[in-house]
Amino acid sequence: MTQPALDLVIAALEKIREESDRAPRASRTALAQLQDAPVAASLREACTSPPGQQLQARNKADLLAAVRERVGACTKCAHLACSRTQTVFGVGNPDADLMFIGEAPGADEDQQGEPFVGRAGQLLTRILKAMNFAREDVYIANILKCRPDMPAGSFGNRPPTPTEMQTCRPYLVEQIDIIQPSVLVALGAVAVEGLLGARATMRELRGRWHTYNSIPLMITYHPAYLLRNQAPSEKRKVWEDMLLVLERLERPISERQRNYFL
């Protein structure tokens, strides 16, 4: 079923739900046929949720688990399916208000099956702590769920290609649709390209609010950039972006936080 057709179905179900005492229902077969669609989570919610009720955390966890299962068996990028140790789906609170999006797993993430666990991930954890968040409070995911393959004998990581990002993007869209965060943070220009399909420099993108499907989106430097560039001015830019995130989430900000440098 095409995206416009799905949108029409969802709109019709929502109208029925609003105008009727009985909630609409869809068969298991119909839902199974729509399982691969990025808006499948929204359709399931429209079919089963009482009027005005958001998805509960337990339901979100169940829906994410179903997507994770499909990701684990995905072979759409055959070269990545052959080279990966495992897929790296996402981690954190299914009911998070704040969601971070990176570009792709690196070697450490490929080994452990969790995003942002290497040096860049450790820096992200410190940033979260300075914001008075634990990793368990937020949700962290990548555009790509597989580590981009490297030539034999090569070390390090490479950025995902546009084709790889386009192929894997529907899984991230489903994650966002299920979690329904209040704020999204894209880490780095590659993550922005994968999420929005737009290319631009970080100088043009960061420090102001963007939107993704009506969700406020803050774009900032990837933690790996700060590991390469230790200039206090660059670290301060990222922290200023995080202060804007805290303000949008209506979280209290102390004087110490306002004056903080990473």
Side-chain angles (χ1 to χ4, degrees):
M1 184 179 291
T2 64
Q3 180 73 39
L6 280 170
D7 290 342
L8 288 173
V9 171
I10 292 170
L13 288 169
E14 290 176 339
K15 184 175 181 180
I16 293 172
R17 188 176 63 181
E18 292 172 359
E19 297 179 353
S20 174
D21 293 331
R22 299 181 62 185
R25 292 289 185 268
S27 70
R28 291 180 180 272
T29 300
L31 290 177
Q33 290 173 341
L34 294 169
Q35 187 69 32
D36 286 331
V39 294
S42 299
L43 180 58
R44 283 191 293 268
E45 180 184 4
C47 292
T48 60
S49 297
Q53 180 178 329
Q54 295 290 318
L55 282 171
Q56 296 300 309
R58 182 176 177 181
N59 292 339
K60 291 182 179 182
D62 291 342
L63 292 173
L64 286 172
V67 183
R68 179 192 291 269
E69 186 175 349
R70 287 189 285 115
V71 167
C74 182
T75 57
K76 293 178 182 178
C77 300
H79 59 296
L80 300 186
C82 290
S83 65
R84 72 191 182 208
T85 301
Q86 59 190 314
T87 55
V88 181
F89 180 68
V91 67
N93 180 7
D95 205 28
D97 288 327
L98 179 58
M99 181 173 178
F100 287 83
I101 300 170
E103 54 182 65
D108 293 319
E109 290 76 18
D110 178 65
Q111 288 295 324
Q112 298 186 41
E114 182 175 324
F116 283 91
V117 294
R119 291 180 63 220
Q122 293 165 15
L123 178 53
L124 177 60
T125 299
R126 294 201 298 273
I127 293 172
L128 289 172
K129 184 177 180 181
M131 298 172 71
N132 289 328
F133 284 110
R135 281 176 67 101
E136 296 76 19
D137 297 328
V138 304
Y139 197 90
I140 305 172
N142 285 314
I143 301 290
L144 240 63
K145 310 307 184 191
C146 297
R147 182 194 180 197
D149 57 339
M150 297 291 290
S154 299
F155 298 95
N157 302 303
R158 70 164 175 84
T161 67
T163 299
E164 289 168 344
M165 290 192 289
Q166 183 179 7
T167 301
C168 204
R169 184 179 180 273
Y171 294 130
L172 177 66
V173 171
E174 285 193 82
Q175 288 174 294
I176 296 172
D177 286 346
I178 293 169
I179 295 166
Q180 302 170 3
S182 300
V183 172
L184 287 167
V185 176
L187 300 169
V190 175
V192 175
E193 181 182 353
L195 183 64
L196 302 180
R199 288 190 179 188
T201 65
M202 289 303 298
R203 185 177 301 176
E204 298 170 310
L205 294 169
R206 64 150 296 273
R208 60 187 178 87
W209 286 104
H210 305 258
T211 59
Y212 166 81
N213 281 1
S214 301
I215 301 173
L217 169 66
M218 178 57 61
I219 297 168
T220 196
Y221 290 108
H222 194 285
Y225 169 79
L226 298 183
L227 294 176
R228 298 191 302 269
N229 189 336
Q230 296 286 330
S233 60
E234 299 306 286
K235 294 180 180 181
R236 180 61 191 180
K237 288 176 184 176
V238 172
W239 185 243
E240 289 173 351
D241 295 338
M242 295 305 98
L243 289 176
L244 292 174
V245 169
L246 289 174
E247 289 176 354
R248 179 58 67 100
L249 291 171
E250 298 183 349
R251 303 271 295 199
I253 302 175
S254 68
E255 193 64 25
R256 181 174 180 272
Q257 285 176 307
R258 291 199 180 277
N259 297 323
Y260 184 71
F261 278 79
L262 298 176

